[in-house]
Amino acid sequence: MMIKNIKGTKDLLPEATHNIQDIEKHLNQFMYIHGYGEIRTPIFEATELFQRSVGENTDIVNKEMYTWEDQNGQSLTLRPEMTASVVRTYIQNQIWKTEPISKFYYIGPSFRRERPQKGRLRQFHQFGIEALGSMNPEQDAEVVSIAYNIYKMFGIQNLQIKINTLGSDNSRQNYEKDLKASLLKFKSEFNNTEFERLEKNPLRILDSKKENIQNIINQYAPNIMDYISIEDQKHFDEVTNILKSMDIPFTHDCKLVRGLDYYNRTVFEVISNELGAQDALCGGGRYDNLVKQLGGDSIPAIGFAAGMERLILAMKLTKNQNMETDIYIVNIKQELINNSMKLADDIRKELGVAVYLDSLRRSLKSQMRHANKMNAKFVIILDAETIKNNEVIIKDMNNNTQQSININNIISHFTSD
Ligand code: AMP
C-alpha cells in the first residue's frame, strides 16, 4: 500500500517553498529593522511546560497536543505554540540578568491535533515575536503595530485589528466568576462541550460562533471593562492612544479574550475577511505572570503568533513558478561531461549565478527546450568539434544572438558584459 502523509500535514514542493523563502526573507529584514533577533527552540519539549503555561483547561492541552512517552518514561510533546518555549529558554538562561529587555522573533512549525480544514492544519507554521522586560504601554503598541505592518508589507487588504484588555489577575478572576454565574442560568442552551467550557474555562464561551449563545452573551454577560482597575484602564487607554497616533486602525472588542491561560491586560487579533471561517491571521497579548509562574523572576512580557499558511492564503499566492536558472549548459557529447561539470562549477564559484546542467543525457533540442522553460538568460553549448579549439558557443536568450568564445574567457566575458 502507498504510504501517504498524515492528515492535516502538507508537503511543500519547490514551487511552494519558493514563496515561503521569499516571505521569510522579508520577515527577517522586517524584524531586523525593528530590533528583534531570531530565536530557535526545539520542536519538542517536556509536556509539563505546556500544561503549566498554555493551561490545563484549554482545548490545546486537553485534546490537541501530540504527546508521547519517551523510552525513559518522560512525557514529551510536539510544541503546539512557541511562547512557552521562548519563556523556558529565557528562564533557563536567566537572560533578564544581563539584558533588561529582550526582543525575539521566531519562524517554525507548530503542531495541534485539530480538525483539518481550510487554514487549519495539524502541522502548521507560525512566525511571531516576544518582547520580554517592559510593562509599558508603548511596548504593547509596538507589538500590535508590528503585527499590523507585517500584513501591510505583504499587501493584505481588508485588515481588522481587534483589541481588548483582560485587566490583571484579580479582575480576570472576578469577571470569570460573574460570567459563569450569569450564563449558567441558561445552561439548557449549551451542549456538552460548551457546558464543559463554561465550567472550566468560561472566557472561551465568548468566542462561540453559535447565534443563540452570542445572543445570550450580548444580553446577559457582564462587560469586562466594568471589572478592570484604574491602572488597567489607564494602560489600555495609553496603548490605544499610541496606536491612534501611529495611524493603526483598531476596534475595541470587549468580548475578545483569546484561548490561552497566560494572558492578562492587552489582547489582540488581526483578522482578514478574505479567509473564511478561520479568519484570524494572528493573535497575541500580554503575559506578565508567565515568566514567574514558570520559575523565573517577575518579568512582564507581550507577544503575538501568526500563521504562515493563513498569510499565504490571504496573499492569494499561486504556486506556478518554474525553477529558474541564469545559465544553462548544454552538453551534446558525453565525453565532454568533465568539461561541462568543471565549467558549471567554475561559473557558480566565480560569478555566484545559477547554472544548470542536464544529467539526463538529452538531445540538443530537448535541452534547449528545457533551457527555455527555465527562463535561462544564457545557454552555453559545448560541442565536440568546437571544443577541440577550446571554443564554446554562448547564446543570449533574450536577443537571440550567439557567439563563439574561448572556454577560458567565459568568466571575463560575463563580468565585462
Ligand atoms: P494561537 O496560538 O491559537 O493564538 O494561534 C496564532 C495563529 O496561528 C492563528 O491566528 C493562526 O493564524 C495560526 N494557527 C493556529 N492554529 C492553527 C492551525 N491549526 N492551522 C493553521 N494555522 C493555525
Side-chain angles (χ1 to χ4, degrees), residues 112 114 119-121 124 126 258 280-283 305-307 310:
R112 294 182 196 172
E114 296 193 83
R120 194 158 76 188
L121 293 149
F124 55 103
Q126 289 187 316
R258 315 244 331 113
L281 284 167
C282 87
R310 292 193 196 170

Side-chain angles (χ1 to χ4, degrees), residues 60 80-81 112 114 119-126 151 258 260 262-263 269-270 280-284 305-310:
I60 294 179
E81 57 111 55
R112 294 182 196 172
E114 296 193 83
R120 194 158 76 188
L121 293 149
R122 292 182 169 177
Q123 175 177 333
F124 55 103
H125 296 79
Q126 289 187 316
Y151 293 110
R258 315 244 331 113
L260 319 187
Y262 50 63
Y263 287 122
E269 275 182 1
V270 182
L281 284 167
C282 87
M308 186 69 92
E309 286 79 7
R310 292 193 196 170

Side-chain angles (χ1 to χ4, degrees), residues 166-222:
L166 300 177
S168 326
D169 259 3
N170 279 348
S171 42
R172 182 176 161 162
Q173 275 161 17
N174 289 338
Y175 177 69
E176 275 178 333
K177 203 164 80 214
D178 285 4
L179 177 68
K180 196 163 145 184
S182 72
L183 297 185
L184 273 177
K185 292 185 198 137
F186 303 91
K187 69 178 175 199
S188 58
E189 299 276 342
F190 292 82
N191 67 24
N192 284 348
T193 330
E194 288 157 351
F195 187 69
E196 199 182 301
R197 206 167 265 172
L198 185 58
E199 283 286 328
K200 291 186 173 163
N201 191 357
L203 287 185
R204 284 302 312 281
I205 287 291
L206 299 181
D207 288 338
S208 172
K209 297 219 154 63
K210 285 178 56 187
E211 209 182 320
N212 62 329
I213 307 274
Q214 274 306 328
N215 286 340
I216 296 171
I217 290 168
N218 287 339
Q219 281 190 57
Y220 302 101

